[in-house]
Amino acid sequence: MALLLLSACGGPDNAGRKGFSATAVELEHTNERLPMNEFLAWVANDENELAKTKELNEIQYKMCYLPKQTMAYMELKDEAYTNEQFMQACEHYSEMSYFNFRLALTEGSGELLKYGLGSAAEYNERVNYMAFKMQDDIFLIQGKDTLHPGLFHFERIYEVAPYATVMLAFDDKKFDKENEFTIVYDDQLFHKGYIKYNYRPKQLIDLPNLTGV
Amino acid sequence: MKRKIIMSVALICLAVLPVLIYHTCFQSKVAYVDIPKVFAGFEMKKELQLKYKETETARAKLLDSLSFGLQRLSAKVKANKEDRELMYEFDAQRQDFFNRKKRLEEDNVALSNQYDKQILEQMSQYIMDYGKKKGYDLILGTEGNGTLMFANEKYNISTEVTEFINDKYKGIE
């Protein structure tokens, strides 16, 4: 299955699509039960702390955890699908923890990669950095262990956009998803230093149930 | 009876109004932070200081090893004063050593400045976030250099701010 990139942080842009089933599907274990569109909104809502935002001098850094349900939905949303297909897609995304990392200009206009640009050559360096080198500067820290992403993809946009997005995934076998960890970005793009996002124990596990897929 | 009630309410309003105006206009929420104290307690500063030390030490070791090689060559030159080729080699290595030393020292200064800038940028941002979150109108920074001549200690929020900016930095807040 192709790795899908989300232009936003898993927003419920197409949750009202055809083929929506009312069957209750227990995918995780909390008491809350939400339909798909609300589940996607819940995940993307900063208040629920799966999406975490930092702002540093005109640059916004947003890290968003994408549960397997969100990943499966993003893959299947453009077609009618069955519960079984949805469960299969969830299974496919169940071995890694996926995150969407977005850098954006807080002003919301202009082109992010041209922000504070010193020269034209620097622009190409930034594009290359995001595509090939940035993955070395992102890592997950748990206790004394450091883990680099097993998957990394820069979503290239061929137009003026005040943001840039990368998707990354960490191998679940290599860290304890139920325990506290921190994702660190050592910012070599705008040189703001370490940008950290802390996830509490069980934060990635305690998600609402889906009432339908 | 009704008139009495209206009068009472009006009197209460008249009494409360100046207090409200005073609080709105003159009771700004102001505090100060001891910048060196907050800076010293900032986790990012401690981490980058450590990172800088590691880089500086690695560079110093590199220079030490180059210096050692140069000293050995110098001893050879002294023992073979007639060997012009050895002399040229020594001159070239010495020049290379001083060039590298200068470049590494400049790199150290640049790295130190870069880290300081990053620390101050994040520290300032997080103090601003703290001010907004806690509803401050003004947070002053004091460095003991006369920018703030006196303030009652009750306005000193350095400890709370240090705790907050560290949580922010660690991505907890």
Side-chain angles (χ1 to χ4, degrees):
Chain A
M1 285 186 219
L3 179 66
L4 292 167
L5 280 171
L6 314 183
S7 57
C9 197
D13 57 324
N14 198 19
R17 51 118 200 105
K18 52 191 172 172
F20 193 89
S21 163
T23 317
V25 181
E26 303 248 352
L27 291 164
E28 298 290 344
H29 43 78
T30 57
N31 296 326
E32 207 170 351
R33 301 171 70 83
L34 299 174
M36 179 60 84
N37 58 344
E38 287 181 27
F39 178 86
L40 297 172
W42 190 93
V43 168
N45 187 345
D46 275 18
E47 283 179 17
N48 296 317
E49 297 183 22
L50 291 184
K52 296 165 184 282
T53 306
K54 276 198 176 193
E55 279 182 17
L56 288 170
N57 266 9
E58 301 178 345
I59 309 287
Q60 185 190 70
Y61 302 80
K62 185 168 187 171
M63 183 69 72
C64 186
Y65 171 63
L66 304 173
K68 60 187 176 189
Q69 297 91 325
T70 305
M71 295 299 292
Y73 172 76
M74 292 307 291
E75 184 183 306
L76 299 171
K77 67 178 183 177
D78 293 329
E79 55 195 81
Y81 58 84
T82 63
N83 282 352
E84 197 186 353
Q85 285 171 317
F86 184 79
M87 294 303 283
Q88 274 174 3
C90 281
E91 186 60 28
H92 174 76
Y93 292 109
S94 64
E95 290 179 357
M96 296 192 102
S97 295
Y98 293 84
F99 293 85
N100 180 284
F101 185 43
R102 170 178 283 212
L103 290 85
L105 292 173
T106 50
E107 292 291 312
S109 62
E111 188 173 350
L112 176 84
L113 293 182
K114 286 187 176 167
Y115 172 78
L117 207 61
S119 65
E122 199 181 340
Y123 178 78
N124 291 329
E125 279 172 24
R126 285 181 177 183
V127 172
N128 281 333
Y129 169 77
M130 289 208 74
F132 305 111
K133 294 178 188 164
M134 191 183 191
Q135 58 193 321
D136 299 332
D137 295 323
I138 298 184
F139 43 94
L140 183 153
I141 295 179
Q142 190 166 54
K144 287 181 179 174
D145 296 330
T146 301
L147 177 66
H148 283 277
L151 279 173
F152 182 91
H153 185 89
F154 167 47
E155 181 186 17
R156 185 79 200 266
I157 303 168
Y158 294 94
E159 59 190 52
V160 175
Y163 60 85
T165 311
V166 296
M167 174 169 281
L168 47 133
F170 297 97
D171 190 339
D172 285 352
K173 290 188 197 84
K174 295 182 177 171
F175 78 106
D176 184 359
K177 201 171 175 173
E178 293 197 20
N179 268 325
E180 185 179 21
F181 64 89
T182 302
I183 297 179
V184 183
Y185 171 48
D186 183 3
D187 183 11
Q188 300 298 322
L189 195 64
F190 300 112
H191 305 287
K192 306 279 186 193
Y194 291 132
I195 314 291
K196 299 185 179 186
Y197 304 92
N198 181 269
Y199 286 86
R200 295 187 310 274
K202 292 195 183 290
Q203 204 176 345
L204 304 193
I205 307 294
D206 288 335
L207 304 175
N209 290 311
L210 274 174
T211 54
V213 297
Chain B
M1 182 65 186
K2 198 176 175 184
R3 203 175 158 180
K4 270 188 178 175
I5 292 170
I6 292 169
M7 284 293 285
S8 307
V9 170
L11 278 171
I12 291 167
C13 286
L14 276 174
V16 167
L17 200 62
V19 177
L20 277 175
I21 291 170
Y22 176 76
H23 271 275
T24 315
C25 300
F26 303 109
Q27 288 289 85
S28 300
K29 201 173 173 188
V30 178
Y32 78 93
V33 288
D34 182 344
I35 292 173
K37 187 182 169 185
V38 174
F39 186 77
F42 189 24
E43 284 296 327
M44 184 185 189
K45 182 245 171 191
K46 293 176 190 173
E47 281 181 18
L48 290 187
Q49 200 170 33
L50 209 65
K51 200 175 165 187
Y52 174 79
K53 269 278 165 224
E54 283 170 8
T55 310
E56 194 188 34
T57 307
R59 286 172 176 165
K61 275 183 184 167
L62 176 70
L63 283 177
D64 280 351
S65 111
L66 289 173
S67 169
F68 181 66
L70 203 59
Q71 280 169 27
R72 284 181 59 188
L73 198 58
S74 168
K76 267 190 189 175
V77 169
K78 278 178 189 164
N80 304 282
K81 284 182 181 164
E82 303 301 312
D83 192 340
R84 309 293 288 175
E85 218 167 276
L86 200 62
M87 180 75 88
Y88 292 140
E89 195 191 335
F90 174 73
D91 282 344
Q93 278 200 22
R94 190 175 58 177
Q95 191 56 47
D96 180 55
F97 172 78
F98 285 118
N99 287 344
R100 281 197 192 202
K101 188 169 184 275
K102 187 169 175 275
R103 206 168 55 234
L104 291 178
E105 281 167 357
E106 284 169 358
D107 287 349
N108 281 344
V109 172
L111 189 66
S112 170
N113 290 340
Q114 186 194 324
Y115 286 170
D116 280 349
K117 186 172 172 272
Q118 288 175 358
I119 295 162
L120 285 174
E121 201 172 351
Q122 291 210 20
M123 194 175 93
S124 306
Q125 178 70 51
Y126 298 152
I127 292 176
M128 209 156 74
D129 292 345
Y130 179 84
K132 280 180 188 165
K133 190 181 175 186
K134 300 283 180 180
Y136 279 96
D137 296 298
L138 196 67
I139 295 179
L140 300 164
T142 170
E143 287 186 82
N145 61 1
T147 47
L148 185 70
M149 298 302 286
F150 171 76
N152 191 308
E153 192 54 29
K154 72 179 179 187
Y155 295 110
N156 185 351
I157 54 168
S158 305
T159 308
E160 300 93 302
V161 164
T162 306
E163 203 174 302
F164 179 85
I165 66 171
N166 280 333
D167 282 351
K168 265 276 185 193
Y169 173 62
K170 289 176 196 165
I172 297 168
E173 175 67 34

